[in-house]
Amino acid sequence: MATTHGDTTSTGPRERAAGYQRNTLDILESEAIFVIREVAAQFERPVMLFSGGKDSIVMSWLARKAFYPGRIPFPLMHIDTGHNFDETIRYRDWWMEQIEARIIVRSVEDSIKQGRVKEEDGPNPSRNGLQTVTLLDALSEFKFDCALGGARRDEEKARAKERFFSFRDRFGRWDPKNQRPELWNLYNGMKRPGEHLRAFPISNWTELDVWQYIQREEIELPNLYYTHEREIVRRDGVILAIGPYNQPVDGEAAETAWVRFRTIGDMTCTGATESRASSLADIVNEIAATRVTERGGRADDKRSEAAMEDRKKQGYF
Amino acid sequence: MGKARANDTTPTTLVKERDLLRFTTAGSVDDGKSTLIGRMLFDSKQIFQDQMDQLEHSSKLRGEENVNLALLTDGLRAEREQGITIDVAYRYFSTARRKFIIADTPGHEQYTRNMVTGASTADLAIILIDARNGVLTQSRRHGIIASLLGIPHIVVCVNKMDLVDYSRDRFDEIVAEYQAFAQKLNVHDLEFIPVSALVGDNVVNRSEKTPWFDGAPLLQFLETVTISADRNLVDFRFPVQFVVRPHQDFRGFSGQIVSGTIKVGEEIVALPSMQRSRVRSINFYKEELQEAIEGESVIITLEDEIDISRGDMIVRRHNIPEVEHEFEATLAWMDERSGLARETNYILQHTTNRTQAQIDEILYQLDVNTLHRNKVDTLNLNEIGRVKVTTAAPLFFDPYDRNRNTGGFILIDPADFRTVGAGMIRYSSRSTIDELKRDERSRRLEVSQSTEITWDPGLVGPQDRIRRNGHRPFCLWLTGLSGSGKSTLAKEVEKRLFDEGLHVVRLDGDNVRHGLNGDLGFNREDRRENIRRIGHVARLLYDFGHAVLCTFISPYEEERSFVRSLFPEGSFLQVYVRTSLAEAERRDPKGLYKKARAGEIRGFTGVDDPYQEPEQSDLVVDTERLTPEEAVEQVLSLVHDLLK
């Protein structure tokens, strides 16, 4: 598998605009790296969560840059819902080699087998709720005291008030009323035994920032993000991929369309968008012109207006 | 695996070189703050279709006729139910020129904590005033907090202009009242814009209903306000975050440069060990940089093996911050469970460092509505006070006004580790005026013992002089950067006062350094002695009944306080002649900045020696914003007030 990052030839002095100007991406990159290093320094056993989505790919790339020529001083962890696209899994293993990182995988499937959780019924069984249990179990299994996540504040209203360092009680719960004020760039990661924190280094990035950064850094993404022909079904205004975990139900018709994904999560609830964008430049243009938020394509957020807030309180990201 | 599909030729629509402006909005729900933000997002087409659908849906459920733009920013369910914003919410939008991060904070007094938090990272504050209600207590409070937190730019939006018939008089009245109040604050840049968030006047688009307003609409102002000059590019400060040591041959110190710049080969000092070395390389991923600047996260390697770990700070050899474990600070209390306790050993987090700290003394509590100082025993939630702090290990800091990143700290409760306070270091206690006075006393003692001099009051008393001269004596002290316009201003004022018949004399930096202080250089000690002598000369002239004008850079707070202490209360006026470093450097009337930058002059204020902005001046004259005539008039009116 060819890579474009392995290129070590360009080590000359960076071109710098006159007057020491720094653009948005430089500022956001530096801020995210600062937060990732704070986590590495302040915690005994941090972990970085990896979903295979573009945000966690960017976050792990930032971790790579933060410590280079050293290796990332903590493991990454993937909570596999068992409903992932095959390509996500293949990409994950390839990407870990590129960034020389170590990955731990824990699966919802196992949690179901162990009777920790029970699968939802109905035509649209989502494992998003279930993965919270698997995640919390994994955190305590490895005694992780801080989990880095790729959440962004622009994704959803409840996240607009999230901190960089988000405090969770002994039950992994997020209490919006019990968050620590964050001043300047001073992040307080102190905690008592049993408590842990979540840290969100790309809090201040927007979807467009992420795509522009991917373009600038020439990061390779799974093909799912680019246009491809796929069997889909339209359900409640959301385009869902047809696959082993998701079949058309009564009255729904399967069709073939040119689609791509704006986010990649569980196959059962990640909506695709019709798009012909085949390059990063196409995608950046498409995002800049788009009129629907990326979570608008996620069936799980549509369940109620405060859906995200409720899931967060239970320990979801 | 797919390649990074970046190398095709499809043009990208957005300008890549956008910079970033972080601003905070303060105001209560009645001021229309959420509506203003909603309007900005809506008119600049930043609201997505599904958000709009949701908004329409929610507004309908609440039985509202129009789409309620405020619902867009009120995040959490509890708040939506109560109809108020109770925490800091961050919002994002961008235009072709800039990306904006809004820290949206509630305006009520009980949320001072949130305002302080939102203000801590802001470049600019928007303060909303309801045109019908005018300047209220909370409008002042927002200004005071913005000023305490060192936000460089304030924009006052006089909102609901539609409800006062777009009255110019009403707008001017509010502007005048707020400007008069802001004179007491340390505010660099104050703008006023008449808007209606509900209807959209002067938010994104210029309103036809305010033809008398020739300023820019709010969004245009936000897009163009200059923020690069607010950065501190002088003092290189590099708090070490994490040591990267992949193998024997590489030992790198990772961190973010919080201010200043550094080049490969430059001589550095590590604090607190004070060991010296040189920069061998500056690394960022696979790049090797020749120079790195404020804001960049890099890894630095040194020529020598010296022991440095997290919490240490790398600085330039000739520009070292204060290293003290006693200092004064402004402290905002943020804990709702308990107030500040003097017997508690708090954990103090500052840069990448943590140490224990005790609050020795609460000098006063500041009423954030009136600036009034109250004597108190503790500070409770949302209260702000001036305190003396002692830490177990010394901190490496600069005064907050000079450097927000090395001047700010938080206090952590040692029992449950919650963040309970936020502090801004004003200056160190040890090296301040006490020492200077002690120093000066011993000098005076030496002199009198050796020559047996006693003070001779003479036969002409102060009242005789006042009667003859027709005015009381006073000292007017102008401080500011080289090139700020102090001398030009003082010369004009001298002429005008002379014409009015005052017995006026003027002491100027250059003149004094020719003769009286010709033996002094520009190091810290000599600068101190320079000001000590000038202060005494000014006092002698004062005793002889003169109006004494002094124009000296006088960059240090302790020396300015010292001079002030030589004069009786009410006879000393300090004027801060303010200009940005960038502007002073652009003017550079004597070519000194150029020489300093070239390394021909050492210890030049603003370049490699700090200018501590005065916290409390009797007048701040901003020569970038005022015409020379306006500046002279302001100073004259200050003098006339004193002589009344």
Side-chain angles (χ1 to χ4, degrees), chain B residues 140-156:
Chain B
R140 294 195 191 92
R141 178 168 66 243
H142 300 155
I144 291 169
I145 290 173
S147 149
L148 282 175
L149 271 290
I151 300 183
H153 309 273
I154 294 182
V155 183
V156 177

Side-chain angles (χ1 to χ4, degrees), chain B residues 342-356:
Chain B
R342 265 180 282 175
E343 61 279 8
T344 305
N345 283 322
Y346 292 102
I347 299 157
L348 185 148
Q349 187 171 335
H350 171 257
T351 65
T352 56
N353 202 1
R354 281 194 194 124
T355 180
Q356 286 188 312

Side-chain angles (χ1 to χ4, degrees), chain A residues 16 30 161 204 209 279 291, chain B residues 49 79 92 99 291 295:
Chain A
R16 208 190 285 286
S30 176
K161 310 204 166 182
N204 277 334
D209 294 326
S279 70
R291 306 297 304 144
Chain B
Q49 193 56 51
E79 297 171 16
Y92 303 84
K99 167 170 167 144
E291 182 180 18

